[in-house]
Structures are given as structure tokens and as C-alpha cells.
Amino acid sequence: MRFQKQGRDSLFSISADEIGHILYTSRVKLVVMNACQLVCHGVPYVLGMSYKVVESAVTIIMTAFYDCLFAEGRTVLSAAYECRAKLRAHPLRTTGLFGLELPLQDDIIPVLYSTSGQQHNHNLSFRRVSQYSPSSAGTPDIYGRGLDMLKVE
């Protein structure tokens, strides 16, 4: 990964292994970036992208994710689910290619990775309010991308 120091033009590199180790030892609970290797180093949750996404999709993903986490106090799992739901509900994306607006089915790209110890403990929340649960909305007890894939089938 490449970084730039504040006030400088030059870039420097840090490996995903180093970043993962730093985040783990700093007890970081959630990372949002396209670097799934961080889960291997013990970071409990990483919201990653399974493929490259267009910039307009990133805006939808991050707005939905942060709104759910911080404004609504929902869990990380629920926020990841909402990202995919927003992408599905609003499929038109402005692409870098001539600024064209095209319909894309990219709702399965955001993926919530978690360490093995977190597989059934998706209750990390950043605000105390009534918690949303996909199962309370009349859906089966399948969460995240699995629930989306079930809907497709």
C-alpha cells in the first residue's frame, strides 16, 4: 500500500502484513478498505471489495455503511448488508469511461470479512440504540452476503 506524508509529495510503501500487525496490536475493531489480508492478522472485521468498483459505487457503499454504523447505531453486519441493498436499489453508476451512466449489478462486491472468532458474534456497534437485526425483518437466520445470494437463488 502506498501512503503520502502530510505536506510532502513523495509516496512510501507499507505492506498489508505490516498494516495488519499495527492494526491488531492497536486493537482496531473495524477496517474499511480493499485489503482482505488484514483479517489474517487478527483485525476482527474488514469491509472489503471482491472486485474493483467504480467511484460512484464507493460513494453509495460508504454513505450507507457510515450512516448505519454511526447515525443509526446498527451493527457492522447490518451496515454491510445495507451497503449491498443500496447498490441493488440504485444500479445506475457513472463510469470513468466518458462519464457514461450505466446500470451495474455490483451489489455482491462489498464483502464483510471477519476473523474466525467473530463468525457468529456480529454485534459490534458504535452507538447504543435499538439494534436492527436482519432476522427481525422476516428474513432467515442467514446474514451478510449469504443472505443476498439466497435472495438471488
Side-chain angles (χ1 to χ4, degrees):
M1 302 178 81
R2 312 240 333 136
F3 295 89
Q4 183 176 10
K5 288 187 179 182
Q6 188 173 356
R8 298 208 178 164
D9 292 333
S10 62
L11 298 175
F12 63 96
S13 297
I14 299 178
S15 73
D17 289 340
E18 288 179 82
I19 292 171
H21 179 72
I22 291 166
L23 294 172
Y24 174 72
T25 57
S26 301
R27 304 179 68 116
V28 171
K29 300 283 186 211
L30 171 68
V31 175
V32 180
M33 61 191 316
N34 194 1
C36 308
Q37 300 91 338
L38 296 174
V39 173
C40 297
H41 293 279
V43 176
Y45 295 100
V46 174
L47 179 65
M49 306 301 146
S50 57
Y51 297 97
K52 185 175 179 179
V53 295
V54 296
E55 189 174 325
S56 57
V58 172
T59 302
I60 293 170
I61 292 165
M62 299 319 302
T63 300
F65 191 74
Y66 290 132
D67 281 351
C68 286
L69 279 181
F70 299 113
E72 300 173 23
R74 290 164 51 176
T75 64
V76 172
L77 181 65
S78 175
Y81 177 82
E82 188 65 26
C83 292
R84 292 186 292 274
K86 292 284 187 186
L87 289 172
R88 205 171 22 258
H90 305 285
L92 291 179
R93 308 275 178 270
T94 303
T95 66
L97 182 64
F98 307 112
L100 297 175
E101 197 169 70
L102 301 171
L104 297 179
Q105 295 178 332
D106 53 0
D107 56 294
I108 63 168
I109 293 176
V111 179
L112 181 64
Y113 296 92
S114 64
T115 58
S116 60
Q118 298 296 324
Q119 285 180 341
H120 302 290
N121 185 24
H122 299 291
N123 61 357
L124 178 63
S125 180
F126 291 91
R127 194 167 151 227
R128 292 239 183 247
V129 296
S130 61
Q131 295 295 311
Y132 169 86
S133 165
S135 60
S136 68
T139 56
D141 288 336
I142 299 173
Y143 299 99
R145 190 171 179 187
L147 178 60
D148 292 337
M149 295 309 294
L150 180 63
K151 288 180 179 182
V152 170
E153 292 175 354

